[in-house]
Structure formats: structure tokens, C-alpha cells
Amino acid sequence: TATLTVPECIVESENTLSNEESGKSVSTGDVLRDRVVTVCDDIFPSEYTVPARAGSTDYCLRIQVESGGEIFLDASDPGCSRFNAEGTFDGVPRSTYVRTDPGGVAVYVGSYHWSINLKQDISLSEATFDINIASASKTFTATLTVPKCVVEAPSQQPSAAPSSVPSLL
């Protein structure tokens, strides 16, 4: 039996490991594989443009996970090929961000109702989006998996104080 101490997150592998109390040890019958996925309670950057498939139809979605954010749908760019090639996105807003619930579930309402599980998988090089459940009532459950939950923005502060000695260059 393998034991893993998980600080304030949920880890998924071949077996699902859950830690609801910080620092609690969690056991699994199998050795964990290389791919470890954790829950994102916060996410930055907060905007992702990703391909999505609902049924047999491909779309390009822009998902904003922040106050005032929305989900935009671009039906004219299946798979986001134009966005990836040119940076062009012609999506229209379909849902408005309401909140992120504990456990990293972003909730949206509007023309479509979404519950999006926010996950981190450090083995990824770009974000992925999977629609888990789509219903005729336009209610969706999905997973947005990003390489890193929070990417630190560059500091606006200089790394060293200015010098009073002129440079010789």
C-alpha cells in the first residue's frame, strides 16, 4: 500500500485520492503513476480559449474564470484552428461567471448553465477542456485542466535599485 501526504488538494491518478482535511495522509492500493492531477481553488491567468466537442460538433470556447467573466462560443471555428493560427476569435457570450465553489468548480448561468471543474496537470503544455455531461436542457458539466493553476505575473518592481554611477557601456 502506497501512502501519500496531500496538503490541501485532491489528487487523482489510477485511483482517486481525496484529502478533505489539510495534511491528512491518503492511501491507495497501487503505486501512483507519473500523471498527478490536482484541484485548482484559484486560477490565473483567468482566461482560456480551448476547443470543445458537444455531441458530434466541434466549437471554440473562451472561458473567463473571474468576476464579470463569461463563456464565449465561436461556432465558426471548430477546434479553434483559426484562433490558433491567427489569434482571431469571433465568439459570442453565452454564459456569465457566478462563482467558484469549494473544490474548484466554476459556476456559470445564461443561455447555457455550466459547472466546470478546474484542475491542474503539470504534465500538460497547454490547457485542455472536456465536456463530461451535456443535456438537452443546455446544462453542462465539464473539466478545464491547465498546466499550472496560478502563474505568477512578472513583478513591476525593479530587481535592483538604480545606480548613481554611470555605466561604461
Side-chain angles (χ1 to χ4, degrees):
T1 300
T3 300
L4 176 69
T5 300
V6 184
E8 299 183 286
C9 63
I10 295 172
V11 177
E12 296 174 356
S13 184
E14 291 295 313
N15 296 317
T16 300
L17 305 176
S18 179
N19 176 23
E20 296 182 13
E21 294 178 318
S22 177
K24 191 173 184 180
S25 293
V26 181
S27 298
T28 177
D30 294 331
V31 175
L32 292 175
R33 305 290 191 262
D34 292 338
R35 186 166 187 250
V36 176
V37 179
T38 57
V39 169
C40 294
D41 289 319
D42 193 17
I43 196 163
F44 183 84
S46 59
E47 181 176 284
Y48 294 88
T49 302
V50 291
R53 173 172 279 221
S56 61
T57 306
D58 292 323
Y59 299 96
C60 188
L61 294 180
R62 178 163 289 162
I63 302 166
Q64 299 172 334
V65 188
E66 61 189 348
S67 179
E70 296 181 289
I71 294 179
F72 297 84
L73 177 116
D74 186 347
S76 69
D77 186 14
C80 297
S81 57
R82 185 179 65 241
F83 173 77
N84 290 329
E86 304 168 8
T88 303
F89 184 81
D90 295 324
V92 294
R94 295 292 186 199
S95 305
T96 301
Y97 174 83
V98 176
R99 68 184 176 277
T100 298
D101 287 339
V105 179
V107 177
Y108 296 80
V109 297
S111 301
Y112 302 97
H113 297 276
W114 292 89
S115 293
I116 300 176
N117 298 295
L118 306 173
K119 306 275 182 154
Q120 171 181 280
D121 181 346
I122 60 172
S123 72
L124 295 176
S125 60
E126 61 185 34
T128 63
F129 187 74
D130 298 300
I131 298 175
N132 307 322
I133 300 171
S135 71
S137 64
K138 298 183 179 180
T139 300
F140 297 88
T141 301
T143 302
L144 174 64
T145 308
V146 297
K148 189 166 181 174
C149 292
V150 177
V151 177
E152 297 295 326
S155 172
Q156 298 299 317
Q157 298 295 324
S159 57
S163 172
S164 60
V165 179
S167 172
L168 298 176
L169 296 176

